[in-house]
Amino acid sequence: MKNRNKNRMVKTYRLVIVALFLGLFACQTKHVSFTESDIQIIPKPAEVTLQEGGFAFSESTQFVVSDETQKVISEALLAKFQKAAGWTPSVTNSAPSKNYVQFITANELAEEAYKLEVTSNHINISASANAGFIYGLETVRQLLPVAIESPEVVSNIDWVIPNVLIQDQPRFKWRGLMLDLSRHFFGKEYLKKTIDRLAMHKMNVLHLHLVDDQGWRIEIKKYPKLTEVGAWRVDQEHLAWNARLATKPGEKGTYGGFLTQEELKELVAYAKTKNVEIVPEIEMPAHVTSAIASYPEYSCLEKPVGVPSGGLWPITDIYCAGKDSTFEFLQDILTEVMAIFPSKYIHIGGDEATKTNWKTCPHCQKRMKTEGLHDVEALQSYFVKRMEKFINAHGKKLIGWDEILEGGLAPDATVMSWRGVKGGVEAAKQGHDVVMTPGTHCYFDHYQGPQSYEPLAWGGFTPLSKVYTFDPVVDTMTPEEAKHVLGGQANLWAEFIPTEAQSEYMIYPRLAALSETVWSPKELRNWEDFSSRISTMFKRYKQLGINYAKSAYLVTSEAKVNIEEKVVDVVLKNEFPSADIRYTIDGSEVNASSEKYMKPIKLTKTTRIRASLFDEEQPVGKAFDETIKFHKAVGKRVEYKEKYSDSYQGAGAFGMVNALRGSKNFHDGQWQAWIGKDMEVTIDLENEETIHQVTVGTLENQGPGIYFPIAVEVYVSNDGKTFEKTGQIERRYAENSKSELKEFTVSFTERKARYVKVKAINLKRAPNGGGTWLFVDEIIVD
């Protein structure tokens, strides 16, 4: 009897153990059925093989490292588990039997390559150098649920990643971002965050633009006035960048800042842990007014100048190329710079030098005669070559903007091609290394959405989809020339970037698109595939608190008008392929039941169009809201007293009365403009019409010299000869740092008239002494 009971007890224990084991197994393998669509990695890896099952991270997971550097690398992900999961995997030097992540040195792999093997039992990250381990772990991070980016504990999350085999390496060795610290200053902590985000996108160069006309941002101990004077400008932030007044010599600046050498050394050390090389740029011979304001003796004229508060053109206060003291000054500066930055490269700028003073400077003319230089372009080449010898003597390489090609390229220089790709192609033909960064695709200070919906930017239009089409290698290059292409880089010039939030807005998500163009194999790039993966990256950005732009979600429109039939065709579109756009034309809000956009919308009367992009039956991004107004002057003949500028002709003869409105992009083809002159037009309504108001649509953007009118006057007539003034609006000039659309409406007692004459009075002279443009897109007669 006792033996029977004992056997029953043994069987019961076995059943319990089996049940517990099955329960535990079920727990560990929960949600381990993955598909290709679950792999949302940016940039796309070179080779991915999805396998059955998944690996579950837990508090008992161990990270196996063989040295202190690998431990530091692992801490980036460990810290994320601590915040998001509430527990931290441990670090060890020897692998347990299961549930571990191990770094394995594989010398056969390229420097930045990695191999990632994920099984249900363990994860192996193989690499030949720390860069590969960093990128392998970043891939693991992107395989984890988005919640891993959460700054606080998230419950009910299974920290499981799919079993995969990934073999990956970058296509190009230079994958960079340039931040302009001169036009607006950004401090150490923001730069650290940027380094983290570069690593997340597998980017490896942070190019710091430390010197320009508007500010000197690096401490140079031998020349303290560079930061005492040059790092500060008079605060005119309330004015548009190019409308700011000239700063007088000696006028004390209060806006700016600089990085100390200790801060920069700390940044360099931090960047190294993320495989990011910081390349310093010390501009020469131009873009150095901040230096000339500090030490005018190194210019040709030697006259005191102030640090500019805003736009400066032409740039004539440049270093004197004829004085040996200039080169001693620059060599002293670079000696301190090279002691801070271990970077292989020293960037010297070299762009946009207006050499007017060199042509008359006795020192420069003597230099040209002594060196046998036939023009000032050759003198700039002498300048660059002389600096290159100094830089090379310290074991560094010179890199500069493509203007350094002018007059002959320095023997070992690397060219950064920004004026398109022409300079890069030419340099590669000459056997020089090249970094491609054309303004067309890589200038992140350009707009990324319709200007009417975007914060003020420099100009140009570089949306996410356009960045994704960038390729550093030009089709016309030979294989030998292509070998000289180091890679590509995004540039964020900061004239219109006053805050960290604005900087983030302009960088992300375009950096994600660029990262794929410089990392992934070209044959794997596919916009539709990227479009699905970027939505997951958006969620990561949100968790990380990044102020990323949602411009890619915007619905935009194109309209065509048939003046004779008075029909407007409106096309709605979005950057993403097969976009689900829904709209209304009855003034109601857009919702999931609204009509799906399938073909152009034909309008024959005043209509308000509302539209939105939908994803999973939910509206995403900012809603589109535009009214096409059919007024009494649409399609009527317009007579101009003074014809508009050839540069801004709008839609021609009917441009003022075609029902189509201009945007903040004054190059959009809808604006007619006059420089220094008033607008006066007469509209023939063809028949006597009852009217009571006239509205003039205008634009102001004081940076490029576009100003609202200071008065609008309206006259009416029945015979086209004798006109009666019905009203006017007067306004004073006002400072305005924004780009702004504004309608000026003149209302009057209802009356009958056939002819309407409208005058808009130009400001004619800007406060800074420049000329003024008057822009008008439509004259609305009601």
Side-chain angles (χ1 to χ4, degrees):
M1 190 73 175
K2 287 180 180 180
N3 287 337
R4 288 179 187 171
N5 289 337
K6 186 177 180 180
N7 289 337
R8 286 173 184 165
M9 288 177 67
V10 169
K11 288 180 181 179
T12 302
Y13 285 139
R14 286 175 178 168
L15 289 171
V16 169
I17 290 169
V18 170
L20 286 171
F21 175 80
L22 290 173
L24 181 62
F25 179 78
C27 220
Q28 286 182 332
T29 57
K30 188 178 180 183
H31 302 307
V32 293
S33 179
F34 294 97
T35 65
E36 297 281 352
S37 63
D38 292 314
I39 301 174
Q40 302 279 292
I41 302 166
I42 294 176
K44 194 176 185 69
E47 296 179 38
V48 180
T49 304
L50 178 64
Q51 298 168 337
E52 285 296 321
F55 177 86
F57 284 90
S58 67
E59 192 169 2
S60 58
T61 301
Q62 293 184 303
F63 278 65
V64 185
V65 301
S66 58
D67 57 39
E68 188 63 27
T69 303
Q70 291 179 6
K71 182 181 178 183
V72 171
I73 291 169
S74 66
E75 283 171 353
L77 190 57
L78 297 179
K80 288 194 167 292
F81 276 116
Q82 194 277 324
K83 287 182 179 179
W87 41 258
T88 308
S90 59
V91 179
T92 182
N93 296 118
S94 57
S97 60
K98 60 181 179 179
N99 195 15
Y100 63 88
V101 179
Q102 185 170 19
F103 296 104
I104 299 173
T105 300
N107 293 323
E108 71 277 8
L109 294 177
E111 185 180 359
E112 294 185 295
Y114 69 92
K115 180 179 178 182
L116 175 65
E117 298 173 275
V118 181
T119 71
S120 299
N121 187 62
H122 65 273
I123 297 173
N124 285 341
I125 301 174
S126 301
S128 63
N130 293 327
F133 294 130
I134 290 168
Y135 296 142
L137 207 59
E138 287 293 344
T139 294
V140 171
R141 172 184 175 182
Q142 288 199 44
L143 289 170
L144 281 160
V146 170
I148 194 64
E149 313 296 351
S150 174
E152 53 191 33
V153 174
V154 182
S155 58
N156 300 320
I157 293 288
D158 295 315
W159 303 105
V160 183
I161 67 173
N163 287 345
V164 289
L165 174 61
I166 293 177
Q167 299 191 76
D168 199 12
Q169 65 181 39
R171 182 179 170 207
F172 294 102
K173 64 173 71 173
W174 187 298
R175 307 180 301 282
L177 169 69
M178 186 280 290
L179 289 184
D180 172 9
L181 305 191
S182 176
R183 276 50 177 267
H184 285 96
F185 177 64
F186 297 94
K188 179 184 70 175
E189 293 309 313
Y190 179 67
L191 297 179
K192 277 189 172 182
K193 286 194 289 186
T194 302
I195 290 166
D196 288 340
R197 294 159 185 176
L198 286 171
M200 181 173 78
H201 292 85
K202 299 186 175 75
M203 305 287 278
N204 67 349
V205 175
L206 176 60
H207 168 181
L208 293 182
H209 188 74
L210 294 164
V211 173
D212 216 299
D213 299 299
Q214 295 81 9
W216 185 284
R217 304 300 179 206
I218 176 173
E219 177 191 28
I220 301 297
K221 293 183 177 178
K222 190 168 184 177
Y223 300 99
K225 285 195 288 185
L226 287 171
T227 48
E228 291 171 2
V229 176
W232 307 95
R233 63 179 185 245
V234 175
D235 190 344
Q236 297 188 50
E237 294 301 300
H238 59 291
L239 295 176
W241 181 259
N242 285 328
R244 296 177 184 180
L245 306 178
T247 304
K248 297 174 184 177
E251 198 172 355
K252 186 170 177 57
T254 58
Y255 187 93
F258 64 94
L259 292 162
T260 67
Q261 292 193 8
E262 289 307 307
E263 287 177 317
L264 287 165
K265 288 175 181 176
E266 182 184 336
L267 274 173
V268 167
Y270 184 75
K272 185 178 180 181
T273 68
K274 304 292 182 180
N275 193 49
V276 172
E277 179 180 9
I278 300 183
V279 175
E281 181 180 356
I282 308 297
E283 278 273 16
M284 60 186 79
H287 283 288
V288 292
T289 310
S290 57
I292 301 301
S294 307
Y295 295 95
E297 60 266 35
Y298 300 116
S299 66
C300 292
L301 302 181
E302 298 187 11
K303 68 176 185 179
V305 297
V307 178
S309 293
L312 179 68
W313 194 262
I315 303 167
T316 55
D317 286 311
I318 67 177
Y319 290 133
C320 177
K323 300 174 186 172
D324 284 336
S325 60
T326 299
F327 292 96
E328 292 167 7
F329 172 70
L330 291 171
Q331 288 169 6
D332 288 342
I333 289 170
L334 291 185
T335 297
E336 293 193 32
V337 169
M338 290 185 287
I340 300 167
F341 298 95
S343 167
K344 177 181 178 182
Y345 295 91
I346 299 294
H347 202 303
I348 64 150
D351 61 314
E352 298 181 329
T354 302
K355 309 172 188 74
T356 307
N357 294 341
W358 284 6
K359 292 178 181 179
T360 57
C361 170
H363 301 287
C364 291
Q365 291 301 306
K366 182 180 178 181
R367 176 81 68 193
M368 290 172 66
K369 185 176 181 181
T370 302
E371 299 293 336
L373 306 173
H374 52 86
D375 57 23
V376 290
E377 277 66 41
L379 180 58
Q380 176 161 342
S381 179
Y382 165 85
F383 190 112
V384 172
K385 288 175 181 177
R386 182 163 172 173
M387 293 311 302
E388 186 191 38
K389 285 180 182 178
F390 177 77
I391 290 169
N392 290 165
H394 287 75
K396 307 281 188 179
K397 288 178 68 86
L398 179 147
I399 186 169
W401 304 109
D402 54 54
E403 282 93 334
I404 66 173
L405 284 160
E406 295 168 4
L409 190 55
D412 197 37
T414 298
V415 169
M416 193 167 272
S417 188
W418 72 278
R419 296 178 298 178
V421 297
K422 183 180 178 182
V425 170
E426 180 58 33
K429 282 182 179 177
Q430 295 179 25
H432 291 269
D433 286 346
V434 174
V435 176
M436 289 296 195
T437 178
T440 52
H441 293 75
C442 298
Y443 269 41
F444 285 8
D445 54 327
H446 290 178
Y447 287 96
Q448 54 193 312
Q451 290 187 20
S452 297
Y453 296 96
E454 292 289 302
L456 187 65
W458 183 251
F461 183 52
T462 310
L464 184 68
S465 55
K466 186 175 183 179
V467 175
Y468 195 73
T469 65
F470 169 63
D471 195 273
V473 173
V474 180
D475 290 341
T476 58
M477 285 179 166
T478 66
E480 190 58 35
E481 290 165 358
K483 289 178 183 177
H484 286 287
V485 178
L486 302 179
Q489 175 174 292
N491 295 327
L492 183 59
W493 301 103
E495 288 90 342
F496 300 105
I497 315 292
T499 65
E500 293 178 6
Q502 179 70 4
S503 179
E504 291 177 352
Y505 184 91
M506 302 303 279
I507 294 171
Y508 313 98
R510 288 187 286 190
L511 189 72
L514 187 83
S515 75
E516 191 145 305
T517 70
V518 292
W519 177 280
S520 305
K522 186 175 181 180
E523 61 272 16
L524 292 185
R525 284 183 17 217
N526 178 283
W527 172 244
E528 188 167 356
D529 175 46
F530 178 83
S531 298
S532 69
R533 286 179 285 121
I534 194 63
S535 61
T536 300
M537 185 62 84
F538 286 165
K539 295 172 185 175
R540 292 186 185 275
Y541 289 160
K542 185 176 180 180
Q543 289 280 5
L544 289 165
I546 296 174
N547 182 41
Y548 70 96
K550 303 173 183 67
S551 311
Y553 284 139
L554 288 172
V555 174
T556 59
S557 69
E558 285 183 359
K560 292 183 179 179
V561 61
N562 184 320
I563 289 293
E564 293 181 0
E565 298 181 9
K566 294 183 174 57
V567 174
V568 175
D569 285 333
V570 179
V571 174
L572 300 179
K573 57 184 180 178
N574 178 263
E575 277 199 77
F576 296 126
S578 306
D580 180 3
I581 298 173
R582 307 186 192 189
Y583 72 98
T584 66
I585 55 174
D586 60 2
S588 63
E589 296 284 347
V590 181
N591 55 43
S593 61
S594 298
E595 186 170 354
K596 287 190 177 186
Y597 175 79
M598 303 297 289
K599 61 182 181 180
I601 305 165
K602 289 190 176 295
L603 304 178
T604 56
K605 62 181 181 179
T606 297
T607 304
R608 181 181 184 182
I609 304 174
R610 288 178 163 182
S612 182
L613 180 70
F614 276 72
D615 182 33
E616 296 180 353
E617 299 300 308
Q618 295 296 319
V620 291
K622 189 178 292 186
F624 173 89
D625 192 339
E626 190 173 288
T627 298
I628 304 293
K629 185 175 177 64
F630 285 75
H631 52 91
K632 293 187 177 181
V634 170
K636 307 303 183 182
R637 187 172 63 85
V638 181
E639 181 181 308
Y640 295 83
K641 182 178 181 180
E642 186 77 46
K643 194 179 179 185
Y644 40 80
S645 166
D646 288 341
S647 300
Y648 300 99
Q649 302 184 47
F654 294 99
M656 290 288 189
V657 289
N658 66 353
L660 304 183
R661 306 304 301 274
S663 68
K664 291 181 181 179
N665 174 13
F666 53 88
H667 297 294
D668 65 10
Q670 296 300 333
W671 294 98
Q672 294 182 343
W674 294 259
I675 183 164
K677 297 177 181 177
D678 301 333
M679 179 205 78
E680 182 176 331
V681 301
T682 302
I683 303 170
D684 181 357
L685 301 178
E686 298 176 357
N687 297 297
E688 288 189 6
E689 299 282 355
T690 301
I691 60 176
H692 68 279
Q693 73 177 27
V694 173
T695 300
V696 178
T698 66
L699 167 70
E700 183 164 79
N701 187 341
Q702 294 183 3
I706 302 169
Y707 291 82
F708 286 141
I710 56 173
V712 173
E713 303 171 359
V714 175
Y715 303 79
V716 297
S717 171
N718 285 318
D719 61 7
K721 298 176 181 177
T722 304
F723 282 85
E724 174 193 358
K725 188 174 184 178
T726 61
Q728 71 176 38
I729 294 175
E730 292 185 355
R731 62 173 295 278
R732 291 179 179 272
Y733 157 78
E735 294 174 350
N736 187 2
S737 62
K738 301 176 182 177
S739 177
E740 185 178 353
L741 301 169
K742 189 176 182 68
E743 292 185 341
F744 292 89
T745 300
V746 177
S747 300
F748 44 87
T749 305
E750 194 175 85
R751 66 192 63 200
K752 284 183 176 288
R754 173 175 171 175
Y755 298 94
V756 178
K757 181 184 291 184
V758 183
K759 294 182 181 179
I761 311 303
N762 194 315
L763 179 62
K764 294 186 176 67
R765 185 173 177 82
N768 65 359
T772 60
W773 283 95
L774 172 66
F775 272 67
V776 179
D777 67 338
E778 187 84 355
I779 297 175
I780 301 167
V781 179
D782 291 307

